[in-house]
Every structure is written in C-alpha cells, then in structure tokens.
Amino acid sequence: MNKKTQAKGKMLSLRAASAQCVFSMLYEGKSLSALLPEYQQRISAKDSALLQELTFGVARVLPRLSQILNQLLDKPLKGKTRIVHCLLLVGLYQILYTRIPAHAAVDEVVNASCELKVNQFRGLINAVLRRFLREEDKILARVDKNWHSLHPDWFINLLKPVYPNWQEIINANNQKPPMWLRINPNFHSVADYQKCLAEQGITAQACEHPQALRLEQAQNVQKLPFFNEGHLSVQDVHAQWAGILLAPENHDIILDACAAPGGKTTHLLELAPKARVIALDVEEKRLKRVTENLARMQQKAQILCADASEPEHWLGEIFTPQQSAKFDKILLDAPCSATGVIRRHPDIKWLRKAEDIEQLVALQSKILHALWGTLKEGGILLYATCSVLKQENASQIEAFLATHSDAELIPLPFAEKDEIGHQFLPQAESGDGFYYAKLKKRKAQ
C-alpha cells in the first residue's frame, strides 16, 4: 500500500489503524512498537489500548488466522488488495480472541474499507467474515487438527537441537507476559511498596529478585504510586538481573553499551548513585528515551551517540588525555535477535529472518572484541542478550574465551554446573528469555 494514498496525520477509525499497522509490519518490515505511538495519536484516546491488543494479537496468532483465511478465500489477496487481507486478519482476531460482539466486529471492519480506499471490497469482506461466523466450528476443526506452533519454521529448527523442552518455550511465547516492576531501593523496600500498592487495590507478588514485583494485573503506569517521582520502573524480572550481576560501585566508571531505552542505565545508578555511567547507543532517536528515563528517575549520566564497535572514535569524549582510557565495568546489552522477548513483541516472529542470525552473531563478536580492549585489568564485562538462541549466547562466549587468554568466566549464582553463563527461558508467570555471561579481565598469559 502506497503511503501517498493516505493523508499523513489523518484521523482513523480503530480498525483502519489496526489494518495499516498490520500491513506495515507484514509488508514493510516495520516494528509494531515503532508504529503504535504514531497511530495511537490518530485514533480516539479510549481506543489506544485496544489498538495494541488487536495488532499484537494478530502478530501473535498470525499463522492460525492465515490458515483460516485460506479456507475462506478462493485465491490469496495480493498486490493492491493486501490491505484487504490485513482488514480480514483484524476482523478474524476480534471474533476469535476479544469480547467485541461479532456483528460489531464485522460492521466496523467493513466500514474501515472506505477509509483505506478499498470500498469496492466491502462485499467481499462482509461475505468472508459472515461465512466464518456461520461455519466457524467446521473451519476451526480443519485448521486446528494439525498442531501448529505459531512460530516460523526456522526458529523452531534452531530450538529443537538445543532445548528438549522447546515446546514449553514456544508455548510461553504465545502467552501475554506479566507486568514486572523494579523498585528503587533508595525510596522503598519491596515489601513496603507492595503494601503501598495494596492500599491502592493493586495486588503484586515478590520473587527471588531483591527489587522485583509482579503485578497480578497489568496497570497504567500513572496508576502506580510515585511512578513519576522515579521510585520504580517497569522492567522484566530477568532483565533486572543485569544491574545486580554487574554489581556497580560508587567509584566505578561504567560503560552501558547499547543502552537504549535506558532501563539498565537507571538500574546501575540506583545501585551506585555516585558512579560515572556512560550510556552509549548508535541510534540517536532511541537515546531520547534514555534521557527521559534519567529525568524521571532524577539521575545523571553521560549520553553518547556512537558505534560501540568503534571505541577509537568516541573514547576521547569520555576520558581526558591524562586519564587511562579504560572502564571499571562494562554492560554490553548486545544487539540480538530478541527471540527471548517474543511474547512482548510478537511481531519479532515475522520481522526476524533466518539469515539475520549469522549477521547478528558477527556484529556481537565485533562489539565484544572492540569493547574488551577498553576494560581495565581486573574489570568486569557483563554480556547480555534478550535471545534464546545458543549461537548468540553460550557459543558466542565460548568462542570469545577461546581467543582471549585474559578473559575469565565468572560463575553466576543461578547457573548450572559447567554452564557457560546462564540462559533464562521465558516462563508464563516469570520473566522473559535473557542470557548473561560475566567476564573478568586478568593479566594476559
């Protein structure tokens, strides 16, 4: 669909906006997280949350919806009719997965065809969705008789050889994730803030992480006491281990590489308020989020837009010629496939391609090698990804250790015996898929 056919900034109905977001994801390779802020400003404010539900929902169960459409259409909708395909996906999702009355779901999707300049397909859209309502049981029986993972085959093929429980991983990916809070210890203990939430009628559960609370039901952050004052952050519990494992101290000079959107940066400063933290990221647009998070948390860090793989170009902006241009600690939250956070970003399943993995592994290796040279002797580098793929994680670190005699792997408290680092897997009532490896720099042998 050519963007020129739509007036930029024009107000849209919820269904038209949903279809456009799905279109941009499927056919233009755009992230729903990047698209939503724009489209949420072009619909009624009361529909903002439902736009996310519809678009993320379509991405989560896309293969099932597509198979249903294959049963309902004589031939695929391609070319200029792809937006009609997206409208039908939105309509089917509403019927199957929301409490929106079926007749209303159908009518609103049909009406959206006018806004999207495909009014000539009103009859087709109406006929397809109403046929599904009539034949739902029969169609679903055909579609669902063969179990399907709702994931691309290439991803399943990478999981199977590594994880005997691979089906548990993808089942967890298909669930909606819980909302986790990280409590700022400079203001509250976890127990005290839990009581504070209870006074507002919000139930939360503590866990083994010393700063984490899991909400029984997701909440608008503005309903959370002291959120705007920086007393807490929204962050997955497994992501919260980064700060704890790096163990920052107030005298440290710390590089947070690939820092955006800043959740880990602010965590480091919670734990060591007097540390000097440099938040570096290659995308200037994403660094705005770091600035916003620091402001809300009432913290200060040096923000730097630069390529982590080329420290020779930016070390001079951090250290004076008289200083040793070395960091005490480095947090490398490496660019990765994001396959550990699929349940939060289900469009990753369709945006990521098999051929991306080799390129990401090469980029991770390049950054890791480059940053290692900027670490002090005796310093700590924490390597982290939000991936569940061995190539990006244990295999990456194993290869690095084999070529760096001055790198020592520090065992993690929750790691299995002989495990290289530690792989957290996504779990229904727990955290997302994250990997950590802690490396200490010793004298070269």
Side-chain angles (χ1 to χ4, degrees), residues 364-424:
Q364 292 157 0
S365 178
K366 182 181 179 182
I367 295 174
L368 182 54
H369 283 73
L371 292 183
W372 189 250
T374 71
L375 185 65
K376 286 182 180 178
E377 197 171 276
I380 297 293
L381 184 148
L382 185 69
Y383 178 85
T385 76
C386 55
S387 169
V388 295
L389 299 181
K390 185 177 180 181
Q391 294 91 324
E392 300 179 271
N393 298 337
S395 295
Q396 181 74 266
I397 297 303
E398 192 171 28
F400 183 81
L401 291 170
T403 56
H404 289 75
S405 61
D406 59 347
E408 176 186 355
L409 183 67
I410 305 298
L412 299 181
F414 30 62
E416 301 290 332
K417 184 180 179 181
D418 299 325
E419 186 180 7
I420 300 173
H422 180 68
Q423 179 71 67
F424 285 107

Side-chain angles (χ1 to χ4, degrees), residues 24 32 43 74 139 175 180 202 212 232 286 332 373:
S24 292
L32 289 178
I43 62 173
D74 294 330
I139 291 171
Q175 308 302 312
W180 286 93
I202 300 172
L232 66 146
R286 297 189 72 221
L332 172 51

Side-chain angles (χ1 to χ4, degrees), residues 39 86 116 160 173 189 204 232 252 330 342 359 368 391:
Y39 281 96
C86 296
L116 299 175
K160 280 183 176 181
N173 282 351
S189 69
L232 66 146
D252 286 337
I330 296 174
I342 283 174
Q359 297 173 12
L368 182 54
Q391 294 91 324

Side-chain angles (χ1 to χ4, degrees), residues 36 129 133 149 167 188 205 220 247 310 376 386 400:
L36 280 178
L129 293 179
L133 291 174
S149 69
Q167 289 188 349
H188 306 273
Q205 303 296 330
N220 184 313
E310 299 176 346
K376 286 182 180 178
C386 55
F400 183 81

